[in-house]
Amino acid sequence: MEKSFLSIDLGGTYTKYGLVDQKGNVSKTHKIITPKDLSALLEAARVMVNQNPTIDGIAISAPGAVSHSGVIHGTSAIPYIHGPNIKKLMQQSTDKKVSIENDANCAALAESWKGNAQEVQNAIVIVVGTGIGGAFIHQGVVQQGKHLHAGEFGYMLLKHEGQWHSWSEVAAMSSLRKEVARQKSVPYESIFTGEQIFEMAANGDPECIRAIKQFFYYLAVGIYNIQHMYDPDIILFGGGISARENFITELYREYDALTENMHFETVRPILDTCSFKQHANLVGAVKHFLQSERN
């Protein structure tokens, strides 16, 4: 009989959940405002289980450095999940088996299981959002690292205007918006969305054009470093920006411009977008559950 799992994707604003079977098929998806505290989260999980009593377990995708024991280290937009043993508490609350994995790792698991990384052994997944997160897959397995920080590409250091900055500070969507705000001398809080910035650039806005070029330049620098550190078969991009029609073309253009005058041999990476969009973390969380059961 086909197994079915309740998959939950914890986000800073919204939490998505749905049923995912052991073949990765998604059904009955819903979205709620992320509960305001831990007791409310546990109650929400109980309600989800009561609505789907025949599930074989609960698979959770969460931000932060997720340990094997179920404790989530680090920080995120959901402060109350950091510290307590979420896995243990969820199991006690729902009387179901529970697994938890980092959200970027879940996206990578979805790609290696059913997406654009399923035909390769070694892949990088980079998620470009407000910040930059990611994961790397080695011989088909998502790596966690000694301190659960494998794939935290956003912490890479790059130099910008003589100062060291993290990759997230110069190549994430928040950095694009901040750069436009700086060039236009307006408060960051009042600046446009990323989508509006690209629309304004298409209409000839010079500040937006410069900011977008800088954004892609620093993305290309980070890709160059990752490609030559790890030499993966493919680098996949997720996040809202990856849905733009010319995203990969723009990345290649900036990457080629960066490397064309180098006096040593370089590698041109294979770049693509993630095949999974809104359900990637739901699918990947279940893949992690199945792996955990086998292990």
Side-chain angles (χ1 to χ4, degrees), residues 275-290:
S275 59
F276 284 98
K277 304 303 180 186
Q278 68 269 32
H279 296 330
N281 293 357
L282 298 180
V283 174
V286 167
K287 178 61 175 178
H288 176 258
F289 188 105
L290 295 171

Side-chain angles (χ1 to χ4, degrees), residues 7 16 20 32 65 70 72 74 119 126 128 138 145 150 162 165 182 192 196 204 208 214 226 238 251 278 283 286:
S7 190
K16 293 183 291 186
V20 182
I32 61 172
I72 304 175
E119 301 297 329
I126 299 171
V128 182
H138 178 63
H165 296 270
R182 187 188 70 80
F192 318 94
Q196 288 172 324
C208 291
Q214 176 177 290
I226 291 170
L251 268 182
Q278 68 269 32
V283 174
V286 167

Side-chain angles (χ1 to χ4, degrees), residues 11-53:
T13 304
Y14 294 103
T15 288
K16 293 183 291 186
Y17 67 98
L19 297 184
V20 182
D21 67 25
Q22 64 191 59
K23 293 182 179 179
N25 300 308
V26 182
S27 63
K28 295 185 178 180
T29 58
H30 300 277
K31 182 172 71 173
I32 61 172
I33 295 173
T34 297
K36 63 183 185 304
D37 55 37
L38 182 55
S39 62
L41 174 63
L42 296 175
E43 176 58 29
R46 283 192 292 269
V47 171
M48 295 174 196
V49 170
N50 288 338
Q51 292 170 345
N52 303 280

Side-chain angles (χ1 to χ4, degrees), residues 49-283:
V49 170
N50 288 338
Q51 292 170 345
N52 303 280
T54 61
I55 58 168
D56 295 281
I58 301 172
I60 300 174
S61 162
V66 181
S67 69
H68 293 294
S69 68
V71 175
I72 304 175
H73 303 284
T75 59
S76 75
I78 319 173
Y80 61 81
I81 66 173
H82 301 279
N85 191 314
I86 300 297
K87 178 180 177 180
K88 183 177 180 181
L89 292 171
M90 192 71 75
Q91 286 178 161
Q92 292 172 344
S93 179
T94 63
D95 199 30
K96 296 288 184 180
K97 289 182 181 179
V98 175
S99 75
I100 306 179
E101 179 58 289
N102 168 267
D103 48 10
N105 287 353
C106 285
L109 282 166
E111 291 302 315
S112 65
W113 186 23
K114 297 288 183 178
N116 286 339
Q118 62 182 310
E119 301 297 329
V120 303
Q121 284 293 299
N122 304 311
I124 294 287
V125 175
I126 299 171
V127 182
V128 182
T130 303
I132 295 178
F136 74 88
I137 303 163
H138 178 63
Q139 295 184 352
V141 179
V142 174
Q143 303 298 301
Q144 289 193 317
K146 171 69 174 177
H147 302 99
L148 306 174
H149 274 60
E152 293 287 359
F153 306 122
Y155 286 106
M156 281 196 306
L157 291 178
L158 286 78
K159 219 162 198 177
H160 170 59
E161 296 182 345
Q163 300 292 323
W164 289 106
H165 296 270
S166 73
W167 199 25
S168 286
E169 290 176 317
V170 295
M173 293 309 296
S174 58
S175 64
L176 173 61
R177 296 178 66 226
K178 286 176 182 176
E179 180 61 19
V180 172
R182 187 188 70 80
Q183 291 195 30
K184 290 184 175 293
S185 299
V186 297
Y188 169 67
E189 293 76 14
S190 69
I191 203 58
F192 318 94
T193 65
E195 187 173 354
Q196 288 172 324
I197 289 171
F198 276 93
E199 289 175 359
M200 292 166 67
N203 291 325
D205 185 290
E207 290 87 7
C208 291
I209 291 171
R210 285 195 298 268
I212 289 171
K213 181 172 178 56
Q214 176 177 290
F215 166 77
F216 276 108
Y217 168 77
Y218 281 115
L219 270 182
V221 172
I223 293 166
Y224 176 91
N225 291 335
I226 291 170
Q227 178 65 42
H228 289 81
M229 276 190 294
Y230 183 55
D231 197 22
D233 299 305
I234 192 169
I235 298 177
L236 298 174
F237 284 86
I241 183 68
S242 68
R244 290 195 60 81
E245 183 178 352
N246 296 320
F247 176 71
I248 296 298
T249 301
E250 291 296 325
L251 268 182
Y252 270 130
R253 182 178 295 132
E254 209 58 51
Y255 189 94
D256 292 341
L258 176 69
T259 58
E260 66 179 350
N261 294 319
M262 289 183 175
H263 61 277
F264 43 83
E265 186 177 350
T266 63
V267 176
R268 194 174 193 257
I270 297 175
L271 307 177
D272 203 350
T273 56
C274 292
S275 59
F276 284 98
K277 304 303 180 186
Q278 68 269 32
H279 296 330
N281 293 357
L282 298 180
V283 174

